[in-house]
Amino acid sequence: MKDMKNFIFNLYNQLPNGYPRSVIKNVISFFFSRQSKVETISVDGVKFNMYANPLINNNEIASDIHGYNRNYRLRKDDIIVDAGAYNGLFTVYAALKVGQNGHVYAFEPDPYSAHILSRNIHLNHLSNVTVIKKGLFSKKSHVKFDVQGVGSRLQIYNRNIPTINYIEVDSLDNVLADLKIKKINFIKMDIECAEIEALKGCKRTIKYNHNIHLAIASYHIVNGKRTSYALERLFRSFGLRSETKNPSHLTTYADKNS
C-alpha cells in the first residue's frame, strides 16, 4: 500500500498544472481518505476527530479557525452557516461548540469534498449538521465549476478554464427560506472569489438578524484587487460595521454592533 501511494504521488507531482491535475488531485484525496487513519484535532479547547488528508495538513487548516473566531466566539445554541465547508474542520468544530440545540448548515458543492465532509461528520457522531451540496451565489442558477478540492471554485471570473462541470447555485436567502430558517448568528465563508456574489444573496438574512456576525475570507484576488476592499464597501452598503484583519489568512469581519 505504501509503495502504491508513493507511486501515485510521484506521478501526480509530475503532472503540469491544469484541469486534469485538479481532477486527479480530487480522486487521490478521495481514494486515500477512505484508507486514512483518524487524527485528533484540538481547537479552542474543543477536541474532535478527522480523517487524515494525504494532500492537505488538517492542523494547518485548523489554525484558520482562530482567525474566524477573532471578532466573535461561537456560543451554545448558535445557528451557523459554513460556506465552503471542504472536509468539515470548521463544521465539526462549530457543531461541537454550539451544542445539540445549535445547528450548522454546511455548504460544499464539490462532490469529492462533500463526501469527505459527510464522513467526518459521521465520525464525530454529529446530528446537528445539515450538508447542502450547492454553491452560494446571488441568485438561483447553474454555474461552471472548477473541481480542485480545497481550491474548488465557481468559474465566474475566468470562464476560459476547461471544465465539464456545472453545479447548482442559489442565494443563502433562498436556501434558508426553503428550510424555514430565520435565525442565523454567524456566517463563515471561504469560497474562492465568489464571496462578493454570495453576499449579495444574503441581504434578507443580514437585514432580519440583528445579532449576526460574519467572517469572510478576503485574501482572494479579483480583477487584480484583493477582495477585502470590495467586501468592506459591500458591508458598508448593508449598514454593517466591518474591518479586515488576520494577515496569515486575511479575513473581513462584519456585524451590526457599534
Side-chain angles (χ1 to χ4, degrees), residues 150-211:
V150 72
S152 293
R153 65 186 63 205
L154 301 180
Q155 287 305 329
I156 54 177
Y157 297 109
N158 184 357
R159 299 177 184 272
N160 295 322
I161 291 180
T163 177
I164 59 172
N165 295 291
Y166 281 81
I167 63 163
E168 183 179 358
V169 296
D170 206 346
S171 71
L172 183 62
D173 286 346
N174 287 344
V175 173
L176 294 180
D178 290 343
L179 294 172
K180 296 180 171 52
I181 304 300
K182 294 182 179 180
K183 173 190 170 186
I184 295 293
N185 298 101
F186 185 78
I187 297 174
K188 166 261 175 184
M189 191 178 291
D190 187 353
I191 52 175
E192 305 300 324
C193 300
E195 292 84 5
I196 296 165
E197 285 300 315
L199 286 166
K200 291 176 182 177
C202 298
K203 289 181 180 179
R204 186 168 66 242
T205 299
I206 292 172
K207 180 178 180 180
Y208 291 107
N209 282 277
H210 299 294
N211 189 36

Side-chain angles (χ1 to χ4, degrees), residues 54-173:
L55 296 176
I56 299 293
N57 185 317
N58 277 327
N59 282 295
E60 288 182 3
I61 299 177
S63 67
D64 296 336
I65 294 175
H66 297 290
Y68 291 125
N69 283 341
R70 189 162 182 167
N71 274 31
Y72 179 78
R73 300 182 73 82
L74 304 186
R75 303 170 183 174
K76 289 288 185 184
D77 304 340
D78 275 355
I79 308 299
I80 310 298
V81 169
D82 181 5
Y86 184 46
N87 68 345
L89 265 161
F90 184 84
T91 295
V92 172
Y93 160 79
L96 291 169
K97 195 77 175 174
V98 303
Q100 283 302 308
N101 292 326
H103 205 89
V104 180
Y105 295 91
F107 288 80
E108 182 47 64
D110 183 312
Y112 299 96
S113 298
H115 179 82
I116 298 170
L117 164 67
S118 295
R119 291 188 72 225
N120 282 319
I121 290 168
H122 291 306
L123 177 64
N124 289 276
H125 310 291
L126 297 171
S127 59
N128 61 339
V129 178
T130 300
V131 175
I132 301 168
K133 299 176 184 179
K134 295 181 181 180
L136 283 183
F137 199 55
S138 54
K139 60 183 179 181
K140 188 178 183 65
S141 184
H142 284 81
V143 177
K144 189 180 286 189
F145 187 70
D146 184 16
V147 177
Q148 289 195 36
V150 72
S152 293
R153 65 186 63 205
L154 301 180
Q155 287 305 329
I156 54 177
Y157 297 109
N158 184 357
R159 299 177 184 272
N160 295 322
I161 291 180
T163 177
I164 59 172
N165 295 291
Y166 281 81
I167 63 163
E168 183 179 358
V169 296
D170 206 346
S171 71
L172 183 62
D173 286 346

Side-chain angles (χ1 to χ4, degrees), residues 240-256:
L240 301 179
R241 179 185 72 96
S242 71
E243 58 181 331
T244 299
K245 297 188 292 188
N246 193 37
S248 63
H249 188 267
L250 201 67
T251 303
T252 298
Y253 307 91
D255 59 44
K256 293 185 176 180

